[in-house]
Amino acid sequence: MAAATGPGPRALGGEGGGSAASALSMERIQSLTDLADLEAAYSRLCEEEKVVQEELDALLEQQSTIENKMVALHRMGPNLQLIEGDAQQLAGMITFTCNLAENVSSKVRQLDLAKNRLYQAIQRADDILDLKFCMDGVQTALRNEDYEQAAAHIHRYLSLDKSVIELSRQGKEGGIIDANLKLLQEAEQRLKMIVTEKFDTAMKQGDLPQVERFFKIFPLLGLHEEGLSKFSEYLCKQVANKAEENLQLVMGTDMSDRRAAVIFADTLTLLFEGIARIVETHQPIVETYYGPGRLYTLIKHLQVECDRQVEKVVDKFIKERDYHRQFQQVQNSMMRSSSAEKIEPRELDPILTEVTLMNARSELYLRFIKRRIIADFEVGDSMASEEVKQEHQKYLDKLLNNCLLSRTMQELIGYYITMEEYFMRETVNKVTLNNVEVCSENIMTLKKTLESDCSKLLSQGFGGEQAQAKIDSCLSDMAAVSNKFRDLLQEGLNELNSTAIKPQVKPWINLFLSVSHNIEEEEFSDYEANDPWVQQFIVNLEQQMTEFKAGLSPVIYDTLTGLMTSLIAIELEKVLLKSTFSRLGGLQFDKELRSLIAYLTTVTTWTIRDKFARLSQMATILNLERVTEILDYWGPNSGPLTWRLTPAEVRQVLALRIDFRSEDIKRLRL
């Protein structure tokens, strides 16, 4: 129990005064009666005392540091008082500045409001002056018959802010403004009437300068649709008159004329070329005075007249060429087995050639119209929503697909397909190519057999020298006959190629000219997604050659395919030299050529790349980055490449690139 009177009570003596109060209260300790509890409490108090002692020692160790800091604080006292004074002074300055800024800001807002009101007043005054100026100007211009100037004043009046004019009418000058407005409105109606009458008079007289003069005035008066409609009416009359004149010339054409066989195709071509010239000539006027996106309206009116004239030409074609009767004869011939009752294929050749040409010209024309409208829409729709762009695309598709021209050509081609099928089949049968080949082979087989048999007989002593000479002569004659059959076979194949294949393949290749190769990145990507020429060309070739494959032996079919391939290479080179190319256009042609070569390689055993070597080298030239790059492939740098093009032809192909300068091409040393 003596231990209980030790240091423990001292640790509790300052309850609440130490750095850490004991967890055991005095009441709790006094209530303890059990020795074990007392010992535990004592032990715990001793531990707490130890902790307190350690904390006290730590504080005592810091006494000198704390005293030094206290001394420093005492020294800082005067400085802190100075800082406090400066801070109070600064706070006063900030408060003053803040109040000043608020006052200035308020003044600026007042000035800004005053400025806006001043601008509004100036605008109002300007509009009042503009009204007066327009009113005086339009009256003077009308008296002087200066209708362009009068229209400009009316256009200025129509462009004024109507809300400002309405406010001005409510002011002191309201009566004057109302009077000016009334005079301007009367002048506007009068000018519209004058312009319409003058345009109609010029149109009746066929005075193109005056027609174009008043056509340009309509949009200034807000009459865009009326102007386009009237101008289209004038242009349609020009188209109709020229088409009627051409059709009359057709009916008077001498049948011995070299173009007589395709005179209706030529008439359609003249019609299409005339409309194309009209579009090319007047597109800048429409875009300048009526704005982008309006060309569609003009072409829509022109297409109606085009359809009317196409219908007249095709009706004359059907009547003069007896097209329906010939189709009926073909149908009857296809159901007859006797050759005497069948129509002669040669009779169909001219009419089929003309239909092919008519259809090809129609395709070229429709492609031209499509390109022009798309380009015009793209400019006008640059900021338009996707819905507007889709709506315009529907307008274009409807115009091209539903026009009478498209429907008429589809009807002609419907008859043509049946007649062409009959023509090809009968042409092959008439030439009897398979029989000629078999005859030639049989004669050579017979020659070899006779040669072998006679050789055995002669070796056994039969006949003598005289018999040997006769046998040799006979065998020689047989070889000559076989060769004549082979010549006849080659002649027949050449005839088939020139009469049945070339008339169809050539228009398909000419469609290459309707596809622009002067393109930028956007068109190149579009071509990649929607091939504009080569895939359809390949489909047409495959359909045509399938008909021949069914009726010819494999050897003859392969020979005919070789002739067709040579024809394609020659004709494609011709149209290539009539085209122009950008760098991406050259890349597009290279892709087209590779696709065509890849297809032709699959349909013949002949060497294709040799036939297309010149075209492949042209494609290489069109893909050059710069003119001088040709020197990396020419002369000593050509390596294993054998150039099929002459230096003059290389320069000719380089000149097809629109971005290559003629001076750079001339300076080349080839």
Side-chain angles (χ1 to χ4, degrees), residues 23 70 121 274 288-289 356 396 409 445 505 511 516 520 551 603 646 653 656-657:
M70 290 299 295
T288 302
Y289 292 92
T356 301
L396 176 59
M409 285 301 124
T445 302
V505 169
L511 288 175
S516 175
E520 300 298 333
V603 298
T646 65
V653 176
L656 300 180
R657 278 282 295 273

Side-chain angles (χ1 to χ4, degrees), residues 376-395:
D376 189 54
F377 273 154
E378 284 178 350
V379 176
D381 293 348
S382 58
M383 303 297 291
S385 64
E386 195 62 35
E387 290 77 11
V388 171
K389 293 179 181 178
Q390 291 177 359
E391 186 178 8
H392 285 168
Q393 184 61 45
K394 289 179 181 177
Y395 290 160

Side-chain angles (χ1 to χ4, degrees), residues 195-203 211 214-215 218 230-231:
V195 169
T196 301
E197 290 175 353
K198 293 285 186 182
F199 183 91
D200 290 342
T201 302
M203 188 169 67
V211 167
F214 290 102
F215 172 63
F218 279 105
K230 284 186 168 293
F231 191 55

Side-chain angles (χ1 to χ4, degrees), residues 74-141:
H74 283 297
R75 291 175 180 172
M76 290 173 61
N79 292 334
L80 289 174
Q81 290 177 351
L82 291 174
I83 291 172
E84 180 186 11
D86 291 344
Q88 290 174 348
Q89 185 178 1
L90 180 60
M93 291 176 66
I94 291 173
T95 301
F96 173 78
T97 303
C98 182
N99 293 333
L100 180 61
E102 181 62 31
N103 291 333
V104 171
S105 177
S106 176
K107 296 294 184 183
V108 169
R109 285 195 295 271
Q110 292 176 7
L111 285 173
D112 189 53
L113 179 61
K115 183 185 73 172
N116 289 336
R117 289 176 176 171
L118 177 61
Y119 282 159
Q120 290 175 359
I122 293 173
Q123 180 66 42
R124 181 176 173 182
D126 285 344
D127 286 348
I128 294 171
L129 290 173
D130 279 344
L131 278 175
K132 184 72 171 69
F133 175 73
C134 290
M135 190 269 292
D136 293 339
V138 75
Q139 298 291 345
T140 302

Side-chain angles (χ1 to χ4, degrees), residues 10 16 63 81 92 167 390 431 435 455 489 530 541 574 598:
R10 288 197 301 274
Q63 180 178 359
Q81 290 177 351
L167 284 174
Q390 291 177 359
V431 177
N435 294 338
S455 179
L489 174 62
N530 305 292
L541 288 177
K574 290 178 183 177

